[in-house]
Amino acid sequence: MTTERRKLIIDTDTASDDAVALLMALRDPSVEVIAITVVAGNVPLPQAVQNALYTVEFAGSTVPVYAGCAAPLTQKLHTAEVVHGQDGMGDIGLPIGGRTPAPGHAVDVLAELIEAHEPGELTLVTLGPLTNIGILLSRHPEYATRLREVVIMGGTGDGVGNITAAAEFNIWVDPEAAAILYQAGTKLTQVGWDISRKYATFTKEQADQVRRVGRLGKFAMDIQARVNEFALTGTKLVGFDLPDPIAMAVALDPSVATDMPFLNVVIELHGEHTRGATVVDHSGYTGRERNTHVVLEASRDRFVEMLERLLAD
Ligand code: RIB
Ligand code: CA
């Protein structure tokens, strides 16, 4: 009996952690990545597109990459070169640039692909701000239930932000787009920055262990050069963290998530200090309808085993 490969679309603001998540999906034999759509976030759209194209080529893949939205729905773009480097890929001198994305705007391609597949056939994994997805679902609300599920790297399960005290970067860059997704009625799984901070940090020794699995492992760790510096001065974690890869790990194997209650999550749009926060109703006392599978705990061992296995070559 052949086990059907799940079909994935990945939406990304390709920088150093996104690139590792892309490699994981491209190397996992249990899934077929049918498209990569790019959105502005970590870096401006043109750079994110080039980073995605470089990563796909480095992986020896021909999966098409489509350019999407260059700015959030209602506010100006805030990028994160301070975290990922000017090129978003650690500023280690990679020959990035000069590659051509597939024709068509990402939002139009997402619609075409959803129309061309049966309901429940496509899984969407989002690794960046949700601008492309917000526009898609505002144009076609019915797509929310045509998708098998949406797994997002975004928000926080514990209210501890990484760009403000309360907000995580992907949601904070485009809260209006995030609100559209969280209200859309799709099967939504949230892997927040709390999960990255608690289960996906890498000390030098742990990074060297990944580096040793081969060419892809070395690339995956080398491009974290700027994030590593930022961790020492900014987030003050024990090492750099890999939010998109652990979110991708949950998408590839949900058993990586060891506690994932179904809760109500709303996006704060107006708070002076809390705009962009994912407000998680852990107790259920608000009575709001539950809409999100919120990962609250994960297995670092399962994540690292998957990361090293998929990057080994
Ligand atoms: O907050 C972390 C998220 O913001 C990650 O997806 C990172 O790549 C940035 O997009
Ligand atoms: Ca990202």
Side-chain angles (χ1 to χ4, degrees), residues 13-18 41-42 80 84 126-129 153-155 162 168-170 193 241 243-244:
D13 61 335
T14 319
S16 52
D17 64 317
D18 302 67
N42 282 317
H84 298 278
T126 72
L127 307 175
M153 192 283 132
N162 65 356
E168 175 279 328
F169 181 79
N170 285 339
W193 188 63
D241 67 308
D244 291 338

Side-chain angles (χ1 to χ4, degrees), residues 150-273:
V150 180
V151 179
I152 88 161
M153 192 283 132
T156 75
D158 64 0
V160 177
N162 65 356
I163 186 73
T164 70
E168 175 279 328
F169 181 79
N170 285 339
I171 307 296
W172 177 82
V173 166
D174 196 340
E176 279 73 20
I180 292 170
L181 173 60
Y182 277 72
Q183 293 164 6
T186 194
K187 183 186 179 213
L188 184 59
T189 298
Q190 172 186 296
V191 187
W193 188 63
D194 49 325
I195 301 306
S196 181
R197 194 178 76 237
K198 294 174 185 172
Y199 307 104
T201 56
F202 290 79
T203 62
K204 183 184 179 315
E205 294 69 29
Q206 291 166 329
D208 286 346
Q209 184 177 318
V210 176
R211 192 172 269 111
R212 282 192 290 270
V213 301
R215 169 179 163 276
L216 296 179
K218 181 180 185 310
F219 167 79
M221 296 298 101
D222 287 352
I223 60 176
Q224 309 307 325
R226 283 288 301 112
V227 177
N228 194 44
E229 287 168 28
F230 183 73
L232 297 174
T233 59
T235 52
K236 298 187 173 51
L237 296 175
V238 292
F240 62 83
D241 67 308
L242 290 177
D244 291 338
I246 197 165
M248 182 59 75
V250 171
L252 297 173
D253 176 3
S255 74
V256 170
T258 52
D259 183 20
M260 187 164 53
F262 190 43
L263 302 170
N264 172 266
V265 181
V266 295
I267 307 299
E268 176 56 56
L269 298 178
H270 308 293
E272 181 185 353
H273 304 291

